[in-house]
Amino acid sequence: MFEQTIKPMLNKILNTLTGKCADIRIEYGILALAASIAVPLKLLFFYRLIGVTSNFFFVWLITCILTYILFTSFKNKWIPAVMFLLLSILMFCDVTYSSFFNRYLSVNMLGAAGFLGDIIESIKEVLKPWFFLILADAVLVLAALTVRQSKLRKGKDETEPSEITESAETEEVPDPWIEELTQTETAEEEPEAEEETEAGTGLTGSNRTARKARRKRKKKFLEWVSDHKKPVTALLIISLLVFNFSGSFMITSLSNQEIYSYHIKDILMKLTGNKMDRTGSEFMYSITDSYETEKNGPLFGVAKGRNLIVIQIESMQNFVINKTYNGQEITPNLNQIIKGDTVYFDHYYQQVGSGNTSDAEFATNNSIYGSLSSYTYKLFENNYFRGLPILLKEQGYETAVFHAHENRSFWNREKAYQSLGFDTFYGGIGGTDKDQYDMTEWMGWGLTDTEFFQQSMPYLKEMTQPFYSFIITLSHHHPYLMLDKYRFIDLLPEDEGTIFGNYLNSAAYTDYAIGQLIQQLKDEGIYDNSIIALYGDHLGLTKTDEEIKESVSNFLGKEYDYDTMMNIPLIITVPGADRAVNQTVGISGGQLDFLPTIAYLMGFESLDTVYLGHNLLTIDTGFVAEQTYMIKGSFFQDDIVYEMSRDGVFENGRAWNQRTGEKVPIRDCYEGYMKSMGIINTSEYILKNDVLRKIYEENQDTVSAFSNTAAAAMQFPNEIAAAGAPDKNLIGTNSLEALNATYAAGYRNIEINVCWTEDKEAILLSSWKELRKYFDTYQSQEITLEAFHNLNMKNDLTSMDFLDLIAWIKAHPDVKIYAQAERSQDYFMKCMESYAGSIMDQFVAVVPGMVEYSGLYPSILNVDIGGNSVDQLLEFIELNNVAAVSLSKEAASGAYKKILDADCVSYVRDGESGLLTKRN
């Protein structure tokens, strides 16, 4: 078989390549031949540096094909040469950026280009000599063209085969493909012409003239396509990847990793306002006032009335806390604080957007994620915010920010702090006479932390108590350059001169500076009347650098992975607390959780704002959504870590238990992935739509601020019938016959049930547990869509998937479908919107419990699911302005009877008849 098919094909490919190489060498010289070999090798090297793993070969092959088309589509080779040079420079920038942030550059980050000069030293450290190899092939191409041009000018190539080739190309050779198409059309039209002549219509001449004109236009178009086959082919390939018309996971994987398609898609998303984003921007997270139920605990109000001092420590990771290196304690002062009246959160994680440090500040103060588009402080400087500065000011606190970066406007801080509600910003190196700082000792990025803290004390003393001071350190910044006198750690020979070694010394110095600050607070009488929180803003050592990864792994005695890399310390101390405070909290938490946690300790009776975090001191399990360094959709959930694949396909991710190191089945992480996407997208929605302003200045309710107009205008019918009603034998089957029977009985509001297959496709099914009840199978768990299609329903009924449902609805335009998905209700609605947007007004979501409820779509809340108390449900209905609920007949006459009096539409479900009847 191999001899007959594969071998001849390989020989043909090899002969073609050999011939092409010979042609290139003859026409352009040895440099061009070297470049043609270097280009595909460079692309292999590039994708290896970027970290592409999924579908690596196909990603590389597509880029090779597009690059080949680029060079062969122009007679003037200088045009593609310059374009390829620009592409190579972009690749160089991508690799440099990805080596730290683990993702491609985005056009959205052009707004941050002004900060490039401030991070030159960090860029120097990230750059590796071999990165410059990415530019080598482009240089070879330019050199080859320069040499050839020089030869042409000297007239040394007058007889080169290229002239024959070029003259041959100018001859008009009929394209057989065009001739065949036009001749076929002529043959099809001639009989029609004869018939018309015979009929004596008198229109034969004009008809033939019109047909000839049409054939001429068609031939002209086909000739254009024939002349531009290669660019048209490239356009088709890129369109397929960028727009992914089929919704294929394979194409998603390719387009998120292949450089041409990624950057073209990125630019189009920028131009269209992200309307093309199909990475899960449709998933939203339910906004609930969880603080009301989470504020009841033994430490509520332990710091009530105290000053709040928050210290954001640059690049401080948790792995150095309570650790020794070469017999030396790295952070003795922080370790000592932890032993006192302190709560230490050892599984606390960064949650930043593209603004890095500035987004850490933003998330901490507002319990809202920073934007992934660009840095939040610039994009949304005019938004209304209602975080810690505003909430504390309403309680009589004076508020101020302290930061010693020489540029007061770095990250647009000067304007952003006003929007956040801070009274004063002490920042910049303009002199203490201007409420700024004096440059008395420079190290790394600016004023040393010791000098910064010392110069901040007079400002702190002047503040009226109680006050909120937000202090941002600077010295412990990549690349961790230190003055010799502050190198407190004796490094092992293998760590001398490394980023890891520098990091340890820098961390030790920052700890030393914090120790001095604590002593100064004590000396000034501020310490005992304060609650002090210290946390790291983001990671300092990236695992994508092999040298760093090896050094940290050796130090840890295990592989340096995301669970350690993203882990930052949170230390909250309440000096002289009137109750037992000291504890270590091990559940997962992140910077979004800081606001509700500190509010609890400071005795806030309510948290009157929109927030996405939780009180880490009273909840039983934690959850942290991630979007930078790890790919959007990743998360930490106590022991479980899920890393979203960089190709954007959920199934290609990886998951593990961080305590045992054992792998976790990917399918077990789907709910967490959806929740992570929801939290991040809800944050983005809040920012882009200035939701806090709508609620607190324009007096809109929460649902109106989030909901679409269709949801707000929903009119509810008097009766809804379960598919199959009134035929009891069909109720629950969710079959085609059930829908037809209910429609035939005169019902136009029909309820169905939806489940998700193993490959995340929607099918009509009451639940997987009831699979064997309605199908000839012994299975009762999730299966693939293909396996579902292969099952036979009992009683010769017809099963349905989401495409069958769409087709049925389109054939019955007077029907409204009330769909209850087993989970991920908003995702189902968004899928329907993607596949059948024209009939979305025929869908209503029946949401399975209040955890799933977002109010983004016309909805009915099924209160039978979730196990909530009647008081919890009534509070949720009021807070979220729930328009309609459904409950069983038994619940309506029993535990949930009070819900019938709530200010919303109520449907009572009769399981026997399959009818939902409107009660109010």
Side-chain angles (χ1 to χ4, degrees), residues 471-674:
I471 301 171
I472 306 159
T473 73
L474 186 61
S475 295
H476 188 39
H477 197 292
H478 191 279
Y480 318 111
L481 303 176
M482 304 293 298
L483 297 174
D484 288 340
K485 67 178 181 178
Y486 293 134
R487 296 180 183 274
F488 300 135
I489 301 294
D490 293 327
L491 298 175
L492 296 171
E494 60 266 28
D495 293 325
E496 288 282 358
T498 66
I499 287 290
F500 174 65
N502 291 347
Y503 181 88
L504 293 179
N505 260 311
S506 183
Y509 164 73
T510 294
D511 175 80
Y512 162 76
I514 289 171
Q516 288 198 331
L517 173 63
I518 296 298
Q519 187 58 52
Q520 291 166 7
L521 291 172
K522 291 177 179 179
D523 294 343
E524 298 297 339
I526 298 174
Y527 181 76
D528 290 331
N529 190 38
S530 300
I531 173 174
I532 304 171
L534 308 98
Y535 69 94
D537 60 350
H538 54 71
L539 65 92
L541 297 174
T542 173
K543 69 184 284 291
T544 56
D545 185 303
E546 291 299 327
E547 180 184 306
I548 291 175
K549 183 177 181 179
E550 182 180 356
S551 296
V552 182
S553 297
N554 291 336
F555 173 74
L556 296 172
K558 65 174 185 177
E559 184 181 359
Y560 183 45
D561 214 328
Y562 287 109
D563 50 348
T564 305
M565 189 182 88
M566 306 284 281
N567 185 200
I568 56 175
L570 172 60
I571 301 165
I572 302 178
T573 186
V574 189
D578 60 4
R579 65 200 84 165
V581 172
N582 188 271
Q583 59 182 293
T584 297
V585 176
I587 66 169
S588 295
Q591 287 160 335
L592 266 63
D593 299 312
F594 183 84
L595 172 57
T597 302
I598 207 74
Y600 162 76
L601 292 171
M602 297 185 74
F604 283 33
E605 292 297 334
S606 64
L607 203 49
D608 187 20
T609 186
V610 174
Y611 58 97
L612 295 170
H614 293 272
N615 176 10
L616 297 177
L617 290 164
T618 58
I619 59 174
D620 297 323
T621 183
F623 185 90
V624 182
E626 295 292 357
Q627 68 171 348
T628 50
Y629 300 96
M630 299 176 81
I631 303 300
K632 178 181 175 180
S634 304
F635 66 84
F636 298 92
Q637 189 167 21
D638 297 335
D639 292 349
I640 305 303
V641 184
Y642 170 73
E643 180 201 355
M644 179 65 175
S645 172
R646 69 174 298 132
D647 66 358
V649 178
F650 166 75
E651 289 79 0
N652 293 340
R654 68 182 181 110
W656 68 98
N657 185 306
Q658 61 174 301
R659 296 191 189 274
T660 66
E662 296 177 354
K663 291 183 177 180
V664 173
I666 295 297
R667 59 181 294 176
D668 294 349
C669 299
Y670 186 70
E671 289 294 328
Y673 157 74
M674 293 289 293

Side-chain angles (χ1 to χ4, degrees), residues 95-102 126 356 478 539-542 544 629:
V95 167
T96 305
Y97 186 78
S98 178
S99 65
F100 202 84
F101 292 100
N102 194 30
V126 168
N356 231 29
H478 191 279
L539 65 92
L541 297 174
T542 173
T544 56
Y629 300 96

